[in-house]
Amino acid sequence: MVTNDTKGHNDANTNRDVKIRSLNCELNPLTRTDGSALFAQGGTCVMASILGPVEVKLQNLNIDKAYVECIYRPKAGLPTIRDRMRETVIKDTCEAALLSAMHPRTMVSVQVQELDDRGGLDACAINAACMALLIGGIPMKFTVAAVCCIVDKNGELILDPDYGQINDSRANFTFVFDSLERDLVTVNSTGCFKMAQFNDAYLMCRAASGVIFDFYRKIMTKFHTKTNLTPTSPKEGKEAMED
């Protein structure tokens, strides 16, 4: 499990101090998938896994690109309408990030399991799916980082709120940015808000996305460094010890 303290980071495009909850991630905790990630932000925790490219059903076959499937499972009970909406947002975001044309006539299946919701569940689920795709080696145009922000009952913006703050909010935003130019990939909003509040929330979340991208780089570097140092034969193990 890799942990990152994400308080006090400054983005080049804003003077705001970015403060989000601590990030934690464990890569490949599942063994029977092509890639998996256990991603936690604050008390919110999501498990994501991917399979693919695999054989696709005839009704979903695309001759020019891979079909992207997303299955979202809530912590308990049957999926609600809100869960189906979340599933669609995750699917569309992953589809936008993937180089699906490299694997036509196949399917990439993204499965997301909610483990605990303490605020910012949509953002955490998208980030977990992104890490699972990365560790699974699926070709991508870019990685994505999702950030949650709310407008509270006093009209103030709160970045990466916890569950209690979200329940007492007027509006809720989830912004998803790419890793190339920090362009907006997906936005999902609920509630009543002014355009000025939307614009301020966008800038605040865009700055915070840099913290998440830095975290991605940190855990991927540690994961691959650890993998490269793991001996695969007695001879390699001896050489590693000598080095």
Side-chain angles (χ1 to χ4, degrees), residues 18-180:
V18 176
K19 295 181 180 180
I20 65 176
R21 295 174 296 172
S22 61
L23 300 172
N24 302 275
C25 185
E26 181 180 351
L27 298 177
N28 269 348
L30 304 179
T31 58
R32 297 186 178 182
T33 64
D34 293 318
S36 60
L38 178 63
F39 197 94
Q41 189 161 346
T44 303
C45 188
V46 174
M47 175 77 77
S49 63
I50 63 104
L51 292 172
V54 295
E55 184 178 357
V56 62
K57 294 181 179 178
L58 185 60
Q59 62 266 32
N60 296 326
L61 186 145
N62 294 321
I63 62 172
D64 57 345
K65 62 179 182 179
Y67 173 74
V68 180
E69 172 192 71
C70 180
I71 300 174
Y72 180 88
R73 296 183 178 88
K75 183 178 179 179
L78 297 174
T80 63
I81 295 176
R82 175 59 184 152
D83 293 327
R84 293 305 184 194
M85 292 176 61
R86 183 177 292 117
E87 186 177 85
T88 300
V89 171
I90 299 171
K91 175 185 179 297
D92 291 346
T93 302
C94 292
E95 195 166 16
L98 290 174
L99 284 167
S100 54
M102 294 187 65
H103 298 285
R105 304 174 186 269
T106 63
M107 179 180 72
V108 175
S109 178
V110 181
Q111 303 191 37
V112 180
Q113 174 66 59
E114 173 192 341
L115 299 179
D116 206 359
D117 180 11
R118 291 293 183 268
L121 180 59
D122 290 8
C124 189
I126 291 172
N127 294 336
C130 179
M131 293 307 301
L133 290 169
L134 269 178
I135 203 66
I138 305 296
M140 301 177 72
K141 304 171 190 173
F142 45 74
T143 57
V144 294
V147 186
C148 180
C149 183
I150 65 167
V151 179
D152 66 14
K153 61 181 180 180
N154 298 318
E156 299 295 327
L157 293 176
I158 299 177
L159 180 66
D160 193 24
D162 59 29
Y163 192 77
Q165 292 170 321
I166 288 180
N167 285 340
D168 201 26
S169 65
R170 290 182 179 178
N172 189 334
F173 309 100
T174 300
F175 293 94
V176 185
F177 302 91
D178 70 45
S179 57
L180 299 178

Side-chain angles (χ1 to χ4, degrees), residues 201-214:
Y202 163 79
L203 293 174
M204 186 181 295
C205 291
R206 190 174 187 270
S209 69
V211 179
I212 297 175
F213 286 128
D214 288 344

